[in-house]
Amino acid sequence: MSQSLLHQLKYRNKPQIGQFLGNSFGKLLLKQPYAIDWDMIVPVPLHRQKLHRRGYNQSETFAKGIGEVLQIPVEKVLERSKWTDTQTNKTRLERIDNVSGVFEIQPNQPVYQRRILLVDDVLTTGATLAACANILWKNGAKTVDLATIAAGGGV
């Protein structure tokens, strides 16, 4: 069932699924003592061509659902500056190489000493999240925590 939901979210123009899952996830986080420890929620960005083709970023819809419940702003501080092939059929090492040097901080986006919840749709090997987290840390983020809708595959 979760695979079907994710497929609809990513490929069947159903951004409301991301919002719903984010709201649900946010409600679970509210029950945890660390739920208000973040200054911002940062979605993993899509390349502008893929964003244009899809019409929305599924990770951003998930992030907005979480942010709505936790009352934490969603900030698009990351940019995917290079086009990459899909990660779907790549090995762990190929995935790491595929996202190396792909992400940048958008101009005038302060992350220094900020506590960040980094959000993506699916965690497989962690290559994408690691690449994003490393850029945030290199730019002075105080903490970077991770949230995903699902995990599977090469974890």
Side-chain angles (χ1 to χ4, degrees):
M1 174 139 148
S2 61
Q3 188 174 17
S4 173
L5 280 174
L6 283 167
H7 192 268
Q8 289 181 53
L9 171 63
K10 288 178 83 158
Y11 306 114
R12 299 282 183 229
N13 195 27
K14 303 280 186 184
Q16 65 274 20
I17 292 173
Q19 182 82 26
F20 171 79
L21 293 171
N23 284 162
S24 299
F25 195 83
K27 289 173 186 172
L28 290 172
L29 286 174
L30 276 177
K31 297 176 182 177
Q32 306 305 316
Y34 50 82
I36 58 170
D37 284 349
W38 298 293
D39 299 309
M40 67 173 70
I41 300 171
V42 175
V44 169
L46 292 177
H47 188 272
R48 63 186 166 279
Q49 289 174 325
K50 190 174 279 187
L51 180 61
H52 179 73
R53 186 171 61 226
R54 186 172 291 158
Y56 62 94
N57 176 346
Q58 70 279 359
S59 297
E60 185 179 340
T61 64
F62 180 57
K64 286 180 178 178
I66 296 170
E68 183 178 283
V69 172
L70 298 182
Q71 297 296 296
I72 298 171
V74 174
E75 304 286 345
K76 296 189 274 186
V77 302
L78 291 172
E79 177 179 38
R80 188 180 288 247
S81 58
K82 297 176 187 170
W83 175 266
T84 56
D85 294 328
T86 182
Q87 299 273 76
T88 306
N89 296 313
K90 295 189 180 326
T91 67
R92 178 174 175 73
L93 290 176
E94 289 170 335
R95 286 172 183 246
I96 292 168
D97 188 52
N98 194 43
V99 293
S100 178
V102 167
F103 299 100
E104 297 175 358
I105 299 288
Q106 295 232 24
N108 303 315
Q109 291 294 331
V111 297
Y112 184 75
Q113 290 300 301
R114 305 296 295 274
R115 298 163 303 167
I116 297 169
L117 179 61
L118 178 62
V119 174
D120 201 3
D121 57 349
V122 179
L123 169 74
T124 306
T125 63
T128 299
L129 286 165
C132 289
N134 283 332
I135 292 299
L136 293 167
W137 281 319
K138 285 179 183 175
N139 283 272
K142 185 174 184 178
T143 62
V144 180
D145 294 308
L146 311 174
T148 64
I149 297 171
V155 175

